[in-house]
Amino acid sequence: MKKTLYGGLVASLTAGLLAAVAAPASPAFAICDGPKYRYTTTNKSLVLMPGSYKTAWADPGATVTYAKGKTTGWTVGGTFTAKAEAGIIFAKAETSLAISVTYSWSNTTTQTISQKVPKGKRQGRLRLYSDGYRYKVTKYQLKAPCNYVKIKSGWQTAPKKKADTSVVMEYRKKPPVGKAAADITPQAIPVG
């Protein structure tokens, strides 16, 4: 009796193992329909984004002119800078953050603005800035068994939709003769 039960049990276990080995393996995500990657956008804050066009540096006391008809542009920047991935993030953030989803955009000034550089130890120049947003992006990847796992996070900036622009005077310390200029210290003071 014991031999029959023991032999039957071994036979059953062996048959079950052989059937399991013979069955084709199912894909890891067979029951998951979600995309491979997901993104979240959080911690939005308003920032001024410097445009690409700026005047030459002028010495204290000189007048700087930002000419009518000059075009400046803004390029989205941050951790996720590859155009394909950045495009996915912008599409995701378009509604919730009200940002411009184009990779870059431009604006042409319609007036001439002149500003005198205050007397002192700093040089000045004029630059067109735009309202924009700085926001945190977190990237998740779909992993077995159907869970999203955080794999990367970082900060992005992008212009606001229908953003206001401001001509801003930027300053830097006047370099000594024959020396390189010190770093720019932008002063976000709209003029004109």
Side-chain angles (χ1 to χ4, degrees):
M1 183 81 173
K2 286 184 181 179
K3 285 185 179 179
T4 306
L5 284 173
Y6 180 75
L9 183 59
V10 170
S12 295
L13 287 172
T14 304
L17 286 172
L18 288 173
V21 170
S26 58
F29 301 115
I31 59 169
C32 299
D33 293 332
K36 185 174 181 180
Y37 298 105
R38 283 192 176 161
Y39 301 87
T40 61
T41 54
T42 57
N43 298 49
K44 177 179 77 170
S45 61
L46 189 63
V47 295
L48 279 176
M49 296 182 62
S52 57
Y53 175 76
K54 60 258 182 195
T55 64
W57 289 109
D59 287 331
T63 298
V64 186
T65 300
Y66 195 101
K68 178 179 180 179
K70 292 293 183 181
T71 299
T72 193
W74 292 264
T75 301
V76 174
T79 305
F80 300 86
T81 54
K83 285 193 178 185
E85 188 166 38
I88 294 169
I89 293 166
F90 302 153
K92 160 89 178 147
E94 178 180 14
T95 303
S96 61
L97 300 184
I99 64 168
S100 171
V101 296
T102 52
Y103 195 71
S104 62
W105 62 284
S106 64
N107 184 287
T108 303
T109 54
T110 57
Q111 59 181 327
T112 299
I113 297 172
S114 294
Q115 182 75 16
K116 194 169 188 176
V117 180
K119 291 189 177 179
K121 296 181 179 178
R122 298 189 300 174
Q123 293 180 315
R125 71 178 178 190
L126 292 175
R127 188 173 199 168
L128 195 65
Y129 275 69
S130 170
D131 290 338
Y133 285 122
R134 181 175 186 261
Y135 55 96
K136 188 173 187 180
V137 178
T138 305
K139 180 179 181 180
Y140 299 87
Q141 184 175 3
L142 186 61
K143 303 258 185 178
C146 298
N147 292 321
Y148 281 95
V149 176
K150 176 181 169 181
I151 59 171
K152 183 179 181 184
S153 67
W155 294 91
Q156 293 290 121
T157 56
K160 283 176 63 177
K161 282 186 177 179
K162 300 179 183 175
D164 289 330
T165 55
S166 301
V167 175
V168 170
M169 179 69 79
E170 291 183 333
Y171 297 102
R172 71 174 179 183
K173 290 181 182 177
K174 185 177 178 182
V177 177
K179 299 280 186 173
D183 291 341
I184 301 167
T185 306
Q187 303 293 312
I189 305 167
V191 297

